[in-house]
């Protein structure tokens, strides 16, 4: 059965800290790994990773995929209170209709 | 671009009634739409995949007679929760995959919060 596991489940840091969120996956016919940020409503897209070892970067956020070890990390540097959210990763399969399998999420709280 | 809307954003209904949730892709056509359910402090669970013009594909454990999905056009899919019970109270989110794009990315709607009393 396909599954995506994230760690830690929750994390509390202070502004300015750097955090690393982990995502491991077992997805049949894997195509891509995605990261989303969810605050009150629907998830907002952060990254889609399809190739191993190539870092994707957007401002203070970056992410990388390791297809050999089946995991990805999301880094956030110089955290701000606005980064407080649930971060979801999802594995995409090519089976069927390219559906996503979401992980449990990491709840990040950044204290001022 | 790639905006998905849902209606209503919030609905309260009485136990035993049915409620319909609409998902629309506003500026693109989508042959495939996905319906997710999210309970408080839990992740998104895929309920079903909706394909325009054909029957929806339900995930294991999801009752297709209770959660009716219709994808009548390339911009609209509906989810009807029939004979709703309090345990159906949840956050329902749809997503749509643009037709013809190579990235196979999904664009999410803002979600519908259903409360069954």
């Amino acid at each position: 059965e396909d599954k995506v596991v994230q760690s830690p489940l929750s994390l509390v840091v202070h502004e300015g800290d750097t955090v690393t969120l982990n995502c491991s996956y077992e997805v049949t016919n894997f195509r891509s790994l995605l990261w989303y940020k969810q605050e009150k409503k629907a998830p907002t897209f952060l990254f889609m990773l399809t190739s191993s070892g190539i870092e994707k970067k957007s401002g203070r956020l970056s992410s990388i995929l390791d297809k050999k070890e089946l995991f990805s990390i999301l880094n956030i540097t110089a955290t701000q209170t606005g980064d407080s959210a649930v971060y979801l990763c999802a594995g995409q399969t090519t089976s069927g209709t390219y559906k996503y399998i979401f992980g449990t999420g990491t709840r990040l709280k950044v204290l001022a | 671009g790639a905006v998905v809307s849902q209606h209503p954003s919030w609905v309260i209904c009485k136990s035993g009634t049915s409620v319909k949730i609409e998902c629309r892709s506003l500026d693109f056509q989508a042959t495939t739409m996905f319906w997710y359910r999210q309970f408080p402090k839990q992740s998104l669970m895929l309920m079903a995949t909706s394909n325009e013009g054909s029957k929806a594909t339900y995930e294991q454990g999801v009752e297709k007679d209770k959660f009716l999905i219709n994808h009548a056009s390339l911009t609209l899919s509906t989810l009807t929760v029939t004979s709703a019970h309090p345990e159906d109270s949840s956050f329902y989110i749809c997503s749509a995959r643009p037709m013809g794009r190579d990235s196979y990315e999904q664009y999410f709607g803002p979600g519908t919060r259903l409360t069954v009393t």
Side-chain angles (χ1 to χ4, degrees), chain A residues 3 9 25 27-28 35-36 42 52 56 58 67 96-97 101 112:
Chain A
K3 66 178 178 182
L9 288 181
Y25 63 91
V27 173
T28 309
W35 284 96
Y36 286 86
S52 225
K56 288 212 171 179
S58 176
K67 290 169 80 171
T97 49
I101 299 102

Side-chain angles (χ1 to χ4, degrees), chain B residues 24-88:
Chain B
R24 291 182 187 272
S25 55
L26 297 185
D27 51 1
F28 65 96
Q29 292 182 321
T31 49
T32 305
M33 290 184 172
F34 302 85
W35 286 96
Y36 296 86
R37 181 167 53 183
Q38 186 176 34
F39 292 109
K41 299 196 176 181
Q42 294 188 26
S43 191
L44 275 72
M45 295 298 296
L46 180 65
M47 299 175 66
T49 303
S50 162
N51 292 298
E52 186 266 338
S54 64
K55 289 184 180 179
T57 303
Y58 291 81
E59 294 298 301
Q60 196 170 7
V62 177
E63 299 174 58
K64 60 183 177 184
D65 293 332
K66 179 169 182 62
F67 299 99
L68 302 178
I69 290 172
N70 184 281
H71 192 156
S73 77
L74 289 172
T75 58
L76 173 65
S77 175
T78 60
L79 168 69
T80 302
V81 182
T82 63
S83 188
H85 288 114
E87 56 264 32
D88 298 323

Side-chain angles (χ1 to χ4, degrees), chain A residues 38 42 92 97 99-100 103, chain B residues 38 43 49 59 97 104 106 109:
Chain A
Q38 185 177 30
Q92 183 181 38
T97 49
K99 65 183 182 183
Y100 293 177
Chain B
Q38 186 176 34
S43 191
T49 303
E59 294 298 301
R97 198 176 80 214
Y104 301 102
Q106 295 178 27

